[in-house]
Amino acid sequence: MAGPSGKKEKVAKAGPSGGGGKKKKDVKKETGLGLSVKKDENFGEWYSEVCKHEMIEYYDISGCYILRPWSMAIWEIMQTFFDAEIKKMKVKNCYFPLFVSPGVLEKEKDHIEGFAPEVAWVTKSGKSDLEVPIAIRPTSETVMYPYYSKWIRGHRDLPLKLNQWCNVVRWEFSNPTPFIRSREFLWQEGHTAFATKEEADKEVLEILELYRRIYEEYLAVPVVKGMKSENEKFAGGLYTTSVEAFIPNTGRGVQGATSHCLGQNFAKMFEINFENEKGETEMVWQNSWAYSTRTIGVMIMTHGDDKGLILPPKVASVQVVVIPVPYKDANTQGIFDACTATVAALSEAGIRAEEDLRDNYSPGWKYSNWEMKGVPLRIEIGPRDLENDQVRTVRRDNGVKEDIPRGSLVEHVKELLEKIQANMYEVAKQKREACVEEIKTWDEFIVALNKKKLILAPWCDEEEVERDVKARTKGETGAAKTLCSPFEQPELPEGTLCFASGKPAKKWTYWGRSY
């Protein structure tokens, strides 16, 4: 992980223990700190190195990763928020088995065709072949819906709103990427059934708004809410809505989370019927919706820099780290006591704070280590701070330093954490908006695509035209496709033509390469 970089020298200079350019290699060899590549120079390698610094550990099966406590804490914070919100909507948690029988999995033709290449199968028990192979869930529609058919009989059984927090396995793919594209991942999946389409439509958007809040309010990542194209919608569903993020460094979109209206297709296949108030038999209307640990990868890609991770305060398991800076002949114990008292005051106020009193590392090393881990705010306490009854704060997002009186510490830190959260979102939003390019013609589209832009283009909304765009842009870096048609549509002047087909345009749609 460590490698020669300007950053290492800079960190060494920042620490009171010194360590100039001449000793840089010795320091790095001793500490193993620092990234060997810059984000703008080799994004893939940079991302891998940042993830390896206490977020994940690589496993001996390709595409599988160990989630370490530093990343698991982020997932738990999002889970706590989302779980409470869906419970307000009367959604109840449950758990269904990991295994799926082939007969059930293959019942919905379009659905299984969409997932077939990714399904992992259990074919042996010990050394014996199983008489019937068993699939491992890639998603749980076909696992759950035979039992919805059993549990739903009349209109009083509706709505049925269930969610499960679980893992899923999607096996066949190339280029595994931690959090973004893995063979096994954690997610929640909600599965609901209603008497009317109006109820289903309403819930789709309510859930999508919760996903927007996870990204924008917790992860400080700007997203676009919109509708997926017919080609990109959930296999077997009626329509799919999504929140879409964009990574400026790679020029790629990321499908952040999806909320699907399944219509009555699965109800028909699995015979999920109910008797209405008039005694007539009707099919239910269904939704499914999910977000996964992919959220964490999007956050890392959006905010990280050449020093490592930058965590938004709302999802950081440690929001403030307090570091003693004892100079020679200083009152070391007094400084340590001040650090402990500072953490106690912050913790009492509900701020997630820790002190780093390890005596086998210099303050400069600790600065670099906690910066790499992305802790939003660092507090330094040295002899002068002790003397002046103050502390020094250093922001991870922009490096701004400030001396503040200990008497107003808690209020000031709360305010700083709010400012950091807001600033991280604004900076990310400005970077994203700088990448948006509105185009009208095919030539403009190709130029924008090669410039790694998030392209907003007038489109005729025809499946064949999207397939054609994919075919014409296919290359080493992947083909362009629709990301979503935003709900907030710019004005489409009468007579506007589709950029790809020349036919009358029906809507504005975001296009680009994606993960």
Side-chain angles (χ1 to χ4, degrees), residues 301-370:
M301 289 180 167
T302 300
H303 300 304
D305 65 9
D306 292 339
K307 291 181 180 180
L309 194 61
I310 304 179
L311 291 176
K314 275 196 173 182
V315 294
S317 60
V318 177
Q319 295 170 313
V320 181
V321 63
V322 182
I323 298 177
V325 191
Y327 298 164
K328 193 178 178 183
D329 301 324
N331 176 7
T332 302
Q333 191 56 49
I335 292 170
F336 276 29
D337 290 346
C339 290
T340 302
T342 297
V343 168
L346 294 173
S347 299
E348 181 72 23
I351 295 164
R352 299 186 288 274
E354 283 185 14
E355 68 267 55
D356 186 347
L357 304 181
R358 292 174 293 176
D359 59 7
N360 58 328
Y361 293 110
S362 70
W365 186 94
K366 292 177 185 178
Y367 296 166
S368 184
N369 181 49
W370 289 101

Side-chain angles (χ1 to χ4, degrees), residues 72-372:
M72 198 64 193
I74 297 169
W75 179 246
E76 288 174 340
I77 288 167
M78 292 189 289
Q79 183 179 24
T80 299
F81 160 74
F82 189 79
D83 201 62
E85 291 298 320
I86 60 173
K87 280 174 178 167
K88 290 177 191 174
M89 298 169 64
K90 310 299 184 192
V91 177
K92 293 180 171 62
N93 283 327
C94 64
Y95 185 79
F96 278 73
L98 176 69
F99 302 112
V100 197
S101 67
V104 170
L105 185 67
E106 292 162 4
K107 200 160 189 175
E108 210 298 317
K109 185 172 171 290
D110 289 339
H111 180 70
I112 186 54
E113 280 181 5
F115 281 102
E118 299 176 330
V119 176
W121 294 88
V122 178
T123 58
K124 282 182 176 288
S125 170
K127 294 186 177 180
S128 306
D129 290 338
L130 292 182
E131 192 173 322
V132 178
I134 298 169
I136 300 176
R137 63 174 168 229
T139 181
S140 297
E141 281 77 8
T142 58
V143 179
M144 298 170 80
Y145 296 167
Y147 300 92
Y148 279 43
S149 173
K150 185 177 179 181
W151 299 335
I152 296 170
R153 285 286 180 263
H155 63 89
R156 293 180 186 85
D157 299 323
L158 295 171
L160 178 59
K161 301 181 178 184
L162 300 182
N163 175 71
Q164 65 173 355
W165 297 90
C166 63
N167 61 339
V168 288
V169 173
R170 297 182 183 177
W171 200 258
E172 188 175 311
F173 62 82
S174 56
N175 304 319
T177 306
F179 299 112
I180 297 294
R181 195 170 172 82
S182 56
R183 285 189 163 144
E184 180 193 9
F185 54 88
L186 300 180
W187 75 350
Q188 61 69 217
E189 50 176 327
H191 296 271
T192 52
F194 300 92
T196 66
K197 183 174 184 292
E198 289 71 27
E199 292 172 281
D201 289 338
K202 182 172 179 282
E203 188 203 58
V204 164
L205 297 182
E206 288 173 346
I207 293 294
L208 196 68
E209 173 59 12
L210 292 181
Y211 292 151
R212 181 203 65 79
R213 290 182 63 191
I214 285 173
Y215 274 97
E216 297 194 343
E217 295 179 15
Y218 279 78
L219 300 173
V221 172
V223 290
V224 176
K225 292 199 292 187
M227 187 80 72
K228 299 298 268 188
S229 69
E230 284 297 304
N231 281 329
E232 294 295 324
K233 75 176 184 181
F234 184 72
L238 181 61
Y239 66 84
T240 291
T241 67
S242 68
V243 289
E244 300 285 331
F246 186 77
I247 310 301
N249 292 77
T250 60
R252 290 183 182 274
V254 187
Q255 180 177 283
T258 49
S259 184
H260 316 286
C261 180
L262 302 178
Q264 295 180 307
N265 194 24
F266 285 88
K268 184 178 181 181
M269 294 298 149
F270 289 94
E271 298 179 5
I272 311 174
N273 303 315
F274 70 101
E275 189 177 276
N276 67 18
E277 288 148 326
K278 297 176 183 176
E280 301 161 341
T281 300
E282 289 188 47
M283 288 189 293
V284 299
W285 292 84
Q286 289 176 271
N287 293 338
S288 69
W289 27 271
Y291 82 95
S292 74
T293 38
R294 169 176 274 208
T295 48
I296 299 172
V298 176
M299 178 204 70
I300 297 169
M301 289 180 167
T302 300
H303 300 304
D305 65 9
D306 292 339
K307 291 181 180 180
L309 194 61
I310 304 179
L311 291 176
K314 275 196 173 182
V315 294
S317 60
V318 177
Q319 295 170 313
V320 181
V321 63
V322 182
I323 298 177
V325 191
Y327 298 164
K328 193 178 178 183
D329 301 324
N331 176 7
T332 302
Q333 191 56 49
I335 292 170
F336 276 29
D337 290 346
C339 290
T340 302
T342 297
V343 168
L346 294 173
S347 299
E348 181 72 23
I351 295 164
R352 299 186 288 274
E354 283 185 14
E355 68 267 55
D356 186 347
L357 304 181
R358 292 174 293 176
D359 59 7
N360 58 328
Y361 293 110
S362 70
W365 186 94
K366 292 177 185 178
Y367 296 166
S368 184
N369 181 49
W370 289 101
E371 281 178 347
M372 201 163 184

